[in-house]
């Protein structure tokens, strides 16, 4: 993001080309559904933007809209690129008080628009619902997780309707499908963080004639940045220079990926409340190292809304362990270092009790420094000086003022 200029919900710098632009220049019909705040930098033949024209979260409307765009591409005699986004399982979750509040707010802001949040029954009971290992097991959290799984079920149904539209449009066997989530679950220490549970997401590829047979690759690292160069390589379209991602096309063919022992992840700010939380992380097989430029300042985000965080804070009033959990969620130190073999959900910062292996720590610091130098990261000088802070001109407030 600090290379392309979009630190959050801001336009990408115009000199950076998008996947849709490249495909359109190569004869594709390109349509995007639901998400697309950046209208200037991303070219589309058809943008179906939510709210108003979009599908909200209704699987039936996904089917209808996708099938319409398939037919339009066929009418024009062009191959298709469809970017289909569902808001599920984003908050608000079905049946939660937040959903009613959201709908009331949307209807007030957009009085002439229709909003499709179909009611969904829970696929499981509160007693059966799985609790993520990084959250405490409290009754209110079980309630919210049940609501979350309603949203997961609705998202899955939406995907099923999209696949049905491809079949009914006659292109199911000749379509590359890439399905992934943009972040972890909207719960404390997941979404809007750089812990493993915040950035390790589901990723499924169906590529007729290439990705043959069902298999799981749990060995190699890939990044969402790799999707564009991978698709273009597989389609024999020249890959634009300067992309930070790398193609994993060879992995789809069953080959090994060389020289990639880690992933570099970034976060800059969260839209809720216009708060700035720049972070950088290196995740390897064994370790997760995180640098927080805002170190020491309390962190708040959308994933701390709803039932879960409130339940943890209520429990913390009489439970020292829960009080420690609240502190870990709210306050991030300048550096964190985790042993993923022993602590896969980043609960114990080895720097807090000085139990980190110095050689491992030095190695991870060096990798992060190299990535920041290679990408000309504006946080580089702050990291080198080992002091919290980031450029004020780089904050969400300053950038939004520029846009205004």
């Amino acid at each position: 993001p600090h290379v392309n200029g979009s630190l959050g919900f801001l336009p990408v710098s115009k000199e950076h080309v998008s996947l849709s632009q490249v495909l359109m220049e190569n004869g594709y019909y390109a349509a995007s559904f639901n998400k697309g705040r950046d209208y200037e930098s991303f070219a589309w033949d058809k943008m179906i933007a939510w709210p108003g024209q979009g599908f909200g979260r209704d699987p039936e409307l996904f089917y209808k809209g996708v099938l319409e765009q398939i037919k339009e591409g066929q009418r024009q005699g062009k191959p298709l690129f469809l970017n289909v986004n569902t808001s599920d399982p984003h908050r608000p979750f079905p049946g939660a008080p937040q959903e009613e509040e959201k709908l009331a707010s949307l209807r007030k802001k957009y009085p002439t628009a229709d909003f499709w949040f179909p009611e969904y029954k829970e696929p499981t009971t509160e007693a059966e619902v799985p609790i993520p290992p990084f959250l405490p097991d409290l009754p209110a959290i079980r309630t919210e997780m049940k609501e979350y799984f309603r949203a997961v079920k609705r998202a899955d149904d939406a995907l099923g309707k999209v696949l049905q539209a491809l079949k009914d449009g006659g292109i199911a066997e000749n379509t590359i499908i890439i399905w992934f989530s943009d972040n972890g679950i909207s719960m404390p220490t997941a979404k809007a963080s750089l812990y493993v549970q915040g950035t390790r997401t589901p990723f499924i590829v169906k590529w007729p004639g290439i990705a043959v047979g069902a298999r799981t690759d749990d060995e190699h690292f890939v990044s969402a940045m790799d999707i564009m160069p991978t698709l273009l390589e597989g389609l024999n379209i020249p890959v634009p220079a300067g992309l930070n991602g790398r193609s994993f096309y060879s992995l789809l063919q069953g080959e090994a990926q060389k020289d990639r022992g880690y992933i570099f992840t970034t976060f800059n700010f969260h839209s809720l409340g216009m708060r700035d939380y720049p972070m950088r992380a290196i995740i390897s097989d064994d370790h997760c190292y995180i640098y927080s430029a805002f170190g020491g300042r309390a962190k708040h985000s959308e994933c701390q809304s709803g039932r879960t965080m409130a339940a943890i804070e209520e429990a913390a009033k009489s439970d020292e362990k829960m009080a420690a959990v609240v502190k870990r969620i709210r306050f991030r130190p300048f550096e964190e270092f985790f042993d993923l073999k022993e602590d896969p959900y980043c609960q114990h910062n080895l720097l807090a009790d000085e139990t980190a292996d110095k050689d491992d720590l030095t190695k991870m610091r060096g990798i992060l420094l190299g990535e920041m130098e290679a990408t000309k990261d504006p946080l580089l000088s702050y990291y080198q000086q080992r002091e919290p802070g980031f450029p004020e001109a780089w904050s969400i407030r300053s950038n939004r003022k520029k846009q205004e």
Side-chain angles (χ1 to χ4, degrees):
H2 55 267
V3 173
N4 68 34
S6 181
L7 306 179
F9 297 146
L10 299 167
V12 170
S13 299
K14 291 184 179 180
E15 67 268 22
H16 294 276
V17 297
S18 65
L19 176 59
S20 58
Q21 176 184 337
V22 173
L23 291 176
M24 289 170 66
E25 290 171 352
N26 283 271
Y28 278 73
Y29 177 79
S32 182
F33 302 86
N34 277 349
K35 290 189 176 181
R37 295 176 177 86
D38 188 353
Y39 298 97
E40 295 180 4
S41 304
F42 289 83
W44 300 98
D45 290 303
K46 181 70 172 180
M47 169 72 78
I48 304 172
W50 179 87
Q53 296 176 304
F55 306 143
R57 308 182 184 211
D58 192 327
E60 294 297 334
L61 288 168
F62 275 100
Y63 172 82
K64 178 182 177 183
V66 169
L67 189 57
E68 285 177 352
Q69 294 309 304
I70 290 172
K71 292 178 178 178
E72 178 58 26
Q74 292 170 337
R75 187 188 68 79
Q76 296 188 26
K78 295 180 177 181
L80 294 167
F81 172 50
L82 303 182
N83 177 43
V84 185
N85 305 281
T86 174
S87 298
D88 281 321
H90 192 288
R91 290 179 183 271
F93 306 141
Q98 281 186 321
E99 184 178 59
E100 286 303 316
E101 294 170 5
K102 180 69 172 180
L103 284 171
S105 173
L106 287 171
R107 287 171 179 141
K108 183 177 181 180
K109 188 174 182 180
Y110 305 98
T112 62
D114 292 322
F115 298 97
W116 300 287
F117 283 53
E119 183 178 347
Y120 257 60
K121 301 295 183 183
E122 57 271 14
T124 186
T125 67
E126 289 183 15
E128 295 171 327
V129 71
I131 302 298
F134 52 88
L135 292 178
D137 191 346
L138 299 171
I141 295 178
R142 285 193 167 274
T143 298
E144 186 156 70
M145 285 302 301
K146 182 179 70 172
E147 295 163 348
Y148 167 74
F149 277 106
R150 290 175 187 163
V152 171
K153 176 63 167 60
R154 193 166 59 188
D156 188 60
D157 288 349
L159 173 61
K161 289 295 184 179
V162 171
L163 298 180
Q164 185 64 45
L166 295 178
K167 182 178 179 180
D168 293 348
I171 63 171
E173 300 306 317
N174 193 36
T175 299
I176 300 164
I177 300 170
I178 296 182
W179 181 92
F180 67 104
S181 170
D182 56 349
N183 47 249
I185 182 175
S186 183
M187 292 287 183
T189 77
K191 181 180 178 179
S193 82
L194 296 186
Y195 300 123
V196 172
Q197 60 266 26
T199 59
R200 185 182 184 185
T201 63
F203 191 84
I204 301 172
V205 178
K206 179 185 178 184
W207 195 310
I210 301 297
V212 180
R215 62 185 178 91
T216 299
D217 186 334
D218 56 7
E219 178 182 353
H220 298 96
F221 283 107
V222 297
S223 167
M225 293 189 298
D226 303 335
I227 294 174
M228 180 171 176
T230 301
L231 274 173
L232 295 180
E233 179 184 350
L235 297 172
N236 294 314
I237 295 174
V239 179
L243 298 184
N244 295 123
R246 56 183 281 183
S247 173
F248 59 84
Y249 188 64
S250 61
L251 292 181
L252 299 178
Q253 298 173 298
E255 300 175 10
Q257 180 177 247
K258 298 179 180 179
D259 305 321
R260 194 174 204 178
Y262 65 87
I263 286 289
F264 173 47
T265 60
T266 77
F267 185 89
N268 295 300
F269 60 65
H270 198 278
S271 61
L272 183 63
M274 297 173 63
R275 299 183 175 107
D276 313 305
Y277 299 114
M279 296 176 280
R280 304 288 182 265
I282 299 294
I283 298 176
S284 68
D285 280 326
D286 299 326
H287 297 99
C288 174
Y289 171 73
I290 301 175
Y291 150 57
S292 295
F294 66 96
R297 195 179 78 193
K299 184 178 190 299
H300 302 270
S301 67
E302 163 226 294
C303 57
Q304 294 172 20
S305 63
R307 302 179 192 272
T308 294
M309 191 64 194
I312 297 172
E313 290 180 318
E314 182 62 29
K317 294 177 181 179
S318 57
D319 187 323
E320 290 184 2
K321 289 184 178 180
M322 288 296 101
V325 171
V326 171
K327 183 178 180 181
R328 186 171 74 245
I329 293 171
R330 292 289 193 203
F331 295 91
R332 306 292 169 82
F334 182 82
E335 287 182 300
E336 296 173 275
F337 190 56
F338 303 96
D339 181 344
L340 297 181
K341 297 298 184 184
E342 299 295 328
D343 180 22
Y345 295 100
C346 303
Q347 302 295 288
H348 176 214
N349 180 13
L350 298 175
L351 299 179
D353 55 11
E354 300 182 349
T355 57
D357 182 281
K358 292 183 179 179
D359 290 338
D360 290 335
L361 177 60
T362 298
K363 177 182 177 181
M364 297 294 274
R365 283 172 172 168
I367 293 173
L368 178 63
L369 182 63
E371 288 286 352
M372 295 178 73
E373 290 175 337
T375 58
K376 297 181 174 58
D377 196 323
L379 298 181
L380 177 61
S381 62
Y382 297 91
Y383 183 68
Q384 290 173 320
Q385 296 167 22
R386 303 191 61 72
E387 62 179 27
F390 53 92
E392 174 58 29
W394 197 46
S395 72
I396 184 172
R397 298 173 186 83
S398 179
N399 275 283
R400 283 192 169 166
K401 287 180 180 177
K402 289 178 183 177
Q403 289 191 86
E404 292 170 359

